[in-house]
Structure formats: structure tokens, C-alpha cells
Amino acid sequence: MGLLLVAGNCLSQTFQYDTTSARQRYAVTRLSEALKQDRSANVYTIQLITDTSAYALESFSVNNSNHSVSITGGSDRALIYGCLSVVEDLRNGIALENIQPKKEKAFLAFRAIKYDLPWDTYRHSYALSLHDTTCRDTAYWKAFLDMMAENRFNALTLWNLHPYTFLIKPKNFPEASPWNDDEMKAWQTLFHAIMRMAHERAIDTYIIPFNIFVTPEFAKAHNVAMDNLQHDYFVRGDTSAIIKQYTRECVTQMLEEYPELTGMGLTLGEGMAEMTPQQREDWMKETIIEGMRQANRKSKLIHRIPFSSTTGSLGITSIETEKLTRNAIKQEAAMGFMEMPVWADLKFNWSHAHSTTKLIKVHGGKLYDTYFKPEPEVYKVTWTARNEDFFCLRWGVPSFVREHILNNSQSWCGGYTIGSETYIPAKDYFTKDKNDLPWHYAFERQWLFYKLWGRLLYNPLQDDAIFNAEFTRRYGVQGKQLPEASSLAGSTALRIASDFDCGWDFTLYTEGMMALDAATKNVSYISVERLINQPPLDTDYVSIKDYVQQVQAGQSFDKAKTTPPQLAAMLERDCNKALQLVQNISAKNNKALMYEVADIKTWSYLGLHFAAKIKGGIALQTYRTTGDEKYKRDAVMHLQNALKHWDAIISITRPLYNDMPLVHLSQQGGKENAENFYKTFHWQMLRADVLNDVQMAENIHK
């Protein structure tokens, strides 16, 4: 155990720890930086102790007595969490001498972030490519990885269509590289830095390619995959022998050149059209799995559960495909070159996990019980909780995240992956006036989102005190009202997504009150007509159309169901209370607080807008079935109120937020289609659509 003497402002502390461990050095550095602000007068000895016999891998304790703080854990990762726990206390104004004993352990083993890189992106959009410069900066990655460690995320998954040539120059296929020597060196320097910093923070890293893709340079050199030089994602799979060899060798070389890279992920969908589930699985075995086997070290695997049981890229789920996949994972694990367990990943409620905590569907449809009956021995199921619903507005509902985790963490569950495919949390392209702001990067705006998911995945029984304390630390006395207001207002997002059935990414964009129109294939404002006819995602919700039909038929409702009037009442209750909680907060001298309050107000008015639309939809549908003019007048009144609430949203957000590039609006676009490639969003742009609801109701005839 090495010794290090660190001097603080009013004291000196002696740290005792393993100086040969990069992770313990990181933990001590973070703690010593925080201690510079401590005003204690006592001299302290701070010990970092590894005890694998008494502590689980990610569990730790903090004890404080006789001017000595001991942080004990089952691994270096646990010691980092223990040190950062003390850092959190210090930041919250607790002096070192007053640090209370504590003991914590991990609830779920896999706590990951899904991060789509801005290079060779899954979709082609300026909303993604605009992050290029930020994501090439190692200072950004240091900040992001620090945030992950503080929130106890322990895995970073990096995605793009064809990642290999950003990390290596293939030895046997140098013609595949699009870079000159200087460019290649710059890419490798960046990725080595990311892997090294992640390793120091005890964060596992995974590279996850989509399939099947090669570089345009490789395609042209070997006359293969010539029908997909632009890298569209739903295309025929080219299974040429040379592509198999190239992919396999890329995997092996990458794992050997990046010893700090934890492992690989695989997906069985994109770039694999016209292939059966068995053919897709066979291709993976011959390429990624075999490439992992040939590497001179062990690595870990994330095996995405296939979402198509057909030869189409957007097929449906089936029991047969589940059986095939389970057997394939078992065979892969038996080969002996992978660290266990394999993470078998599924999308919770497809691309919209921020809806209901009940599992309604996965990507492709229904989930059967094949993956967990009988309970697996070599893999754990993990949930991807995709967020394609709010990028601009801050969000945080602790009770929802806690319930989500506790309801869906059976013994066969290994953890969660949190993130988006249409949003990269790097450059802040939202904020108009960036002067005097405490944040620099986009993820820092959504600090509560990451803190909630990370800390509750580590310990879902953690109460809200740590989140409340963070609000107070950031905003003082005025911050005490914000946790409740944020939670009440944030429920708007969950209720919209629960009430409006959705699937893949563009089928819903909650904060914009937008959804995919199947007829036009465009993402547009959810009109009152669509709201009336769209079935809910949550099976406990009743649609407007069904509600009116049952009322007219004199039928009663199951007490467990949420009817449209009840939903509207819940929205009004919570959103009005949220507005009351923040109405007297003065943020004139604190821009960060101003944005927090503005977002709470925006969610609240969006909830009131949604409630008024529900009421308008009920009245409109009732008028159609009865012909009673009273209901037509009611519909107009409620939709006029919805417009007023929308105008309130515009008045709040227009001075604060830019017109925002949005992938949802450019799904048909690419650089060759600049109109879509650069499409933007702001609530003001939809006002005419909101007004159209009012005008339609005024002019409707039975």
C-alpha cells in the first residue's frame, strides 16, 4: 500500500492506497480535489482498503472515527464509488469530520449508457453530425466519463454502422481505410484516450457495430456491397466471403490493439435484409464471434436479441426465433473465450421506455418467455431503455425510474442500458444565450436524468434525499421546491407515451407532441383526430374512441382502467401544482435556475395542453355520435384552451431555445437531400397545426 500526502486549505490528509492502481489514483484525485473546499481543522488519515472476502464486487463501506476515514470495497470500482460518495457529501456541505458511516451494494450488475457516435451514424442527419467536433475532444469525454462514474454507470457502449476503421487500419485490408496516416493517428489517439479514461474510472467499454457494412473504399476495391455505398441501414446483406474475412480480422485486430476495450456487441437486423434469423446468426458466428475467439485475450459480449423472425429488417417476434437465439448464445458461451455472463439485450417498450413501467412490447412485438424459462445459466437479460421522447427539456421522475427497475429486475435480469439513437448528448445546440452558464455540454443540462437512472440502477431503494440535496446544492433555498415540481411536471411525458401507442423511434416524439403519420410517412403534430383514434400503449388506459362508445352504450368501466377524463384530471392536478410550486421562484441572477424553472413550466403547460385536447376529443367524438350541438361547443372551448396552453409553451421557450435540428424530422433525408437533412423543430413551428384543431371543430358537421 503506497502513501501520499495531500495538503488541503485548512488541514492535511494522508491517503493510504495502492499507488500502482490507476483506478485508486483516480479515486484519490477526485476526493482530494473535493477536500480542498473542506473547512475542518483536523488532520485525517484516509484509507482505501480492498476486501474481497467480506465485500461483493461493487459494494463498499465508509467509516469515520478518530480522525480516520476508511473506505473499504470489494474492488477498485467499489473504492471509486466509496470515494465519490464522500465527495458528494462534501459538495453538499458536510464536513469530513461529520461524514456518516454508510454501506452500499449494487442491485444490478450491468448499468450502461448507449452512445451513438456522430461518425457513420445509424441515420444521416445534421442533428447527429453537428456533434463531430465536440466528440473529437478528449476534454468532453473526460467530463462525460466523470459523470458516469459519479452516477455509478459501469459500462459505455459505443455504436455506429461500421466502427472498425475509426480504431484500426486493417492489416490485410489497408485499402479499406478512408484515412491518411495523420488522420488515422488522430482517430486512434482519441479512442485510446476514451478507453484509457474509461478504464481508470472502472467503466467497461463495448464497441457495437451494425451489420452488414463495409467502407465505400473496401466496397469499390473488391466490387462488393456496391448497392449501399451511402450506408442506408435497411438494406440487403452482402455475405461475400471476403466481407466475412475482413470483418472477422477487424474484430480480432481491434481487440488486440485496444487491450482496455472490454468487449463487443452484435445486432441482427440492420444491413441484413433478405436473410433468415438462422442465416443472420450464422453470419455473426463466422465473423464477430470468431473474431473474438481468435483474439489473444478474453472479452465480453452483448448479444442483441433479434427483432425480426422474418427475412425483413422490420419483421415480428416469434417463439421460434427466441429458441434459436437462446441456443446460439449457449453455444457461443460454451466456446470458452468469453467472460460470463453474456448480456442478452431487449428494448423495453420498443423505443419508448419512458412511458409505462409495464412491459407491453419489445422491438418487433410480443416477448415470449423463452429467454428466462428455464432460468439461463450463461447469460442475463438486459433492458435497453431508449429515450426518443425528450432531448431539449430537462426531465426527472424518481418514482417512475425506481418502479421501472424494481418491477423489471427478476433474477434473470442483469441490468439496463440507457440512451438514444436519434440524440447525442454532446454539443448544446439548444441554448440561445450561452453566457454565464454552469454547463458546457448537452449531457450536463440533463444532469437529473443521468443521476436518477445511474444511482437507482445501483440501488433502487435509495430514497430521494440525494436528488433533493443536489437541487439544493445547485440552487440554494429556491431549489427545495424543484424536486417535487420537476417530478409532477415530468409525469406529462410518461402519460403522453402511455396513452399514445408507439413503436420504433419516430412513432412518437413526446416533448414535441408529434408522432409518425403512417399515411404521409412524416412526423407531425398529434391532431385531435389522431388522438381520438390512436389506441393507448398502456393496456390499462382507455382510448377516447372506446370511452365514448362505452359511455353511449351505457357500459361501466373496470376500476383498474384509466379513462380519458381521469387522465385529463391527473394531468391538470399535477401540472397545476407544479406551476404553483415554481411561481414565486426568482431566477433573475441565476440562469441555470431560470432554465430549470422554464422546463418545469413547459412540461406543465404541455400537460395542460394534452388534458385540454383529451377533453376536446371526448366532446368532439360525442358530438359525432349524438349530434348534440352542446358537445360541439364544448369541443371548440377545450381546443381553444389547448391553443392557449400551447401559446404559453411558445412564450416560455422562444426566448430560450434555438430552432433545434431533429432526426425525427429528417428520416427521409441525407446529405443529398438538404431540406430534410437540416430540418429543425420548435414548438412555435407547430402553432398552425394546433390552431387547425380549433378551426376543424368550429367547422365540423355531424
Side-chain angles (χ1 to χ4, degrees):
M1 181 175 291
L3 293 176
L4 177 67
L5 182 65
V6 179
N9 285 351
C10 302
L11 72 164
S12 62
Q13 299 94 24
T14 299
F15 286 84
Q16 296 179 350
Y17 67 103
D18 182 359
T19 57
T20 65
S21 167
R23 292 175 173 179
Q24 291 192 33
R25 291 199 302 270
Y26 171 76
V28 168
T29 298
R30 294 297 306 274
L31 184 49
S32 62
E33 289 173 351
L35 283 167
K36 292 177 183 178
Q37 306 303 317
D38 185 63
R39 300 299 178 181
S40 304
N42 296 314
V43 176
Y44 266 80
T45 298
I46 301 174
Q47 293 180 303
L48 275 61
I49 304 167
T50 304
D51 184 351
T52 57
S53 63
Y55 289 80
L57 187 65
E58 293 187 289
S59 67
F60 69 87
S61 67
V62 177
N63 291 290
N64 186 4
S65 63
N66 299 322
H67 299 170
S68 176
V69 174
S70 61
I71 300 169
T72 309
S75 65
D76 283 351
R77 176 181 288 159
L79 294 178
I80 290 174
Y81 294 161
C83 286
L84 290 176
S85 175
V86 175
V87 169
E88 185 174 59
D89 286 343
L90 293 169
R91 284 178 175 175
N92 289 334
I94 301 173
L96 184 62
E97 59 192 7
N98 296 324
I99 297 291
Q100 295 298 305
K102 67 181 72 174
K103 188 169 185 177
E104 297 187 40
K105 63 179 181 179
F107 181 73
L108 290 170
F110 186 75
R111 308 181 300 279
I113 286 179
K114 171 178 167 55
Y115 199 109
D116 277 37
L117 295 166
W119 313 296
D120 201 5
T121 51
Y122 182 81
R123 291 185 173 87
H124 309 314
S125 168
Y126 179 63
L128 302 176
S129 62
L130 64 84
H131 297 284
D132 173 73
T133 300
T134 305
C135 287
R136 291 181 191 238
D137 186 351
T138 56
Y140 164 75
W141 288 103
K142 178 181 181 298
F144 190 82
L145 291 164
D146 280 343
M147 176 277 294
M148 288 185 63
E150 289 172 10
N151 292 323
R152 300 180 193 170
F153 287 105
N154 64 4
L156 175 66
T157 63
L158 300 172
W159 304 63
N160 80 359
L161 294 182
H162 187 67
Y164 309 112
T165 49
F166 291 93
L167 289 91
I168 62 168
K169 189 165 188 174
K171 294 176 182 177
N172 292 327
F173 298 97
E175 69 277 8
S177 178
W179 320 114
N180 61 36
D181 289 345
D182 289 341
E183 290 169 332
M184 187 72 256
K185 183 178 180 180
W187 284 116
Q188 290 179 319
T189 299
L190 172 64
F191 278 99
H192 277 296
I194 294 172
M195 305 300 175
R196 182 187 69 252
M197 290 189 292
H199 182 76
E200 289 173 351
R201 290 155 179 78
I203 296 171
D204 292 344
T205 48
Y206 295 84
I207 293 294
I208 305 186
F210 294 92
N211 300 283
I212 303 167
F213 298 94
V214 296
T215 63
E217 290 79 6
F218 182 93
K220 293 174 183 177
H222 299 281
N223 195 32
V224 292
M226 291 296 290
D227 56 348
N228 192 26
L229 298 179
Q230 298 298 319
H231 279 191
D232 296 320
Y233 51 90
F234 286 147
V235 293
R236 180 186 64 86
D238 189 328
T239 58
S240 303
I242 196 167
I243 290 181
K244 290 181 180 179
Q245 179 189 351
Y246 163 72
T247 304
R248 181 169 57 247
E249 291 183 6
C250 281
V251 170
T252 301
Q253 184 178 338
M254 183 176 65
L255 287 170
E256 292 180 346
E257 290 189 14
Y258 290 82
E260 292 164 329
L261 174 61
T262 305
M264 293 289 300
L266 57 85
T267 61
L268 297 95
E270 288 74 19
M272 304 183 90
E274 301 179 16
M275 297 173 68
T276 67
Q278 185 66 62
Q279 288 172 328
R280 291 171 180 156
E281 195 67 60
D282 291 343
W283 192 88
M284 291 296 180
K285 288 180 182 177
E286 294 178 45
T287 55
I288 291 180
I289 300 299
E290 181 61 18
M292 293 174 68
R293 190 191 68 80
Q294 291 185 12
N296 58 12
R297 66 178 179 93
K298 284 192 172 185
S299 54
K300 294 183 180 180
L301 176 66
I302 299 172
H303 191 300
R304 292 290 297 278
I305 299 299
F307 49 75
S308 176
S309 62
T310 70
T311 57
S313 291
L314 277 176
I316 58 174
T317 57
S318 72
I319 293 176
E320 290 72 25
T321 303
E322 289 190 358
K323 291 178 179 178
L324 184 156
T325 305
R326 176 165 183 155
N327 186 55
I329 296 174
K330 184 178 180 179
Q331 291 176 358
E332 292 159 4
M335 297 171 73
F337 63 88
M338 288 187 288
E339 297 181 28
M340 295 292 106
V342 173
W343 306 117
D345 189 71
L346 290 154
K347 297 180 190 176
F348 193 98
N349 287 342
W350 212 318
S351 296
H352 302 274
H354 297 86
S355 50
T356 172
T357 61
K358 295 182 298 183
L359 179 66
I360 306 297
K361 64 178 79 172
V362 294
H363 192 149
K366 180 180 178 180
L367 177 66
Y368 302 90
D369 62 4
T370 312
Y371 294 119
F372 38 87
K373 288 185 179 180
E375 187 153 331
E377 296 179 356
V378 298
Y379 68 85
K380 290 282 188 179
V381 171
T382 62
W383 303 115
T384 286
R386 287 272 293 276
N387 168 34
E388 310 301 342
D389 294 293
F390 43 84
F391 309 144
C392 175
L393 300 179
R394 293 156 180 80
W395 179 90
V397 183
S399 59
F400 168 80
V401 176
R402 187 178 290 109
E403 181 181 316
H404 205 299
I405 295 165
L406 290 173
N407 285 359
N408 299 287
S409 295
Q410 294 82 357
S411 57
W412 40 263
C413 176
Y416 278 67
T417 300
I418 310 301
S420 174
E421 204 148 86
T422 59
Y423 167 65
I424 297 174
K427 182 177 180 178
D428 176 7
Y429 56 84
F430 308 99
T431 310
K432 274 190 175 181
D433 182 4
K434 296 183 181 179
N435 295 319
D436 303 319
L437 290 174
W439 72 81
H440 184 65
Y441 303 115
F443 74 86
E444 295 169 318
R445 302 170 64 257
Q446 289 279 13
W447 64 269
L448 182 59
F449 173 84
Y450 291 105
K451 195 174 187 72
L452 284 178
W453 273 111
R455 295 299 291 273
L456 292 176
L457 283 170
Y458 181 83
N459 177 17
L461 301 181
Q462 169 74 59
D463 61 28
D464 291 349
I466 59 168
F467 312 120
N468 299 345
E470 184 65 18
F471 273 108
T472 302
R473 183 184 76 81
R474 289 170 177 260
Y475 306 117
V477 175
Q478 295 196 98
K480 292 184 177 180
Q481 301 279 51
L482 294 180
E484 183 181 4
S486 174
S487 185
L488 289 167
S491 64
T492 294
L494 310 174
R495 287 167 175 159
I496 292 174
S498 295
D499 191 52
F500 195 92
D501 191 23
C502 48
W504 61 286
D505 310 357
F506 301 155
T507 55
L508 184 65
Y509 172 48
T510 302
E511 73 180 356
M513 200 67 188
M514 303 176 78
L516 183 69
D517 187 326
T520 65
K521 296 185 179 179
N522 289 321
V523 178
S524 56
Y525 174 73
I526 300 172
S527 68
V528 69
E529 290 283 13
R530 293 184 65 192
L531 188 62
I532 290 170
N533 291 289
Q534 182 81 353
L537 172 71
D538 191 329
T539 52
D540 284 341
Y541 279 41
V542 180
S543 72
I544 292 174
K545 188 173 184 179
D546 288 346
Y547 171 77
V548 171
Q549 183 179 9
Q550 286 183 251
V551 168
Q552 294 300 312
Q555 298 173 348
S556 60
F557 292 90
D558 186 334
K559 291 183 179 180
K561 298 287 187 179
T562 299
T563 64
Q566 290 173 329
L567 178 57
M570 289 189 294
L571 287 160
E572 290 175 334
R573 178 197 66 204
D574 290 349
C575 293
N576 281 320
K577 186 174 182 181
L579 290 171
Q580 291 171 3
L581 287 168
V582 300
Q583 66 180 349
N584 294 322
I585 293 179
S586 174
K588 291 182 180 179
N589 299 317
N590 190 328
K591 285 180 67 177
L593 177 59
M594 176 186 70
Y595 274 94
E596 293 275 6
V597 172
D599 286 3
I600 289 171
K601 289 181 178 179
T602 302
W603 276 124
S604 297
Y605 282 113
L606 186 62
L608 294 174
H609 169 82
F610 185 45
K613 277 180 70 75
I614 292 171
K615 289 181 174 181
I618 295 169
L620 190 64
Q621 186 67 6
T622 304
Y623 167 70
R624 284 176 171 154
T625 59
T626 66
D628 189 335
E629 290 291 325
K630 173 188 178 299
Y631 292 107
K632 176 179 177 179
R633 293 193 296 271
D634 287 347
V636 172
M637 177 191 67
H638 291 308
L639 294 173
Q640 286 174 335
N641 286 336
L643 178 60
K644 290 178 183 177
H645 296 313
W646 196 266
D647 283 339
I649 294 171
I650 294 170
S651 68
I652 295 166
T653 59
R654 186 75 277 179
L656 302 180
Y657 294 123
N658 297 310
D659 292 350
M660 297 163 266
L662 186 66
V663 179
H664 290 60
L665 298 178
S666 56
Q667 74 271 24
Q668 305 298 328
K671 289 185 178 179
E672 70 284 353
N673 187 340
E675 181 183 356
N676 281 332
F677 188 74
Y678 293 103
K679 275 191 173 180
T680 56
F681 162 80
H682 192 281
W683 293 271
Q684 188 176 39
M685 297 177 178
L686 302 179
R687 189 184 188 279
D689 297 307
V690 182
L691 176 60
N692 187 63
D693 273 350
V694 179
Q695 295 171 338
M696 180 274 297
E698 289 174 335
N699 297 322
I700 195 169
H701 298 286
K702 182 179 181 298

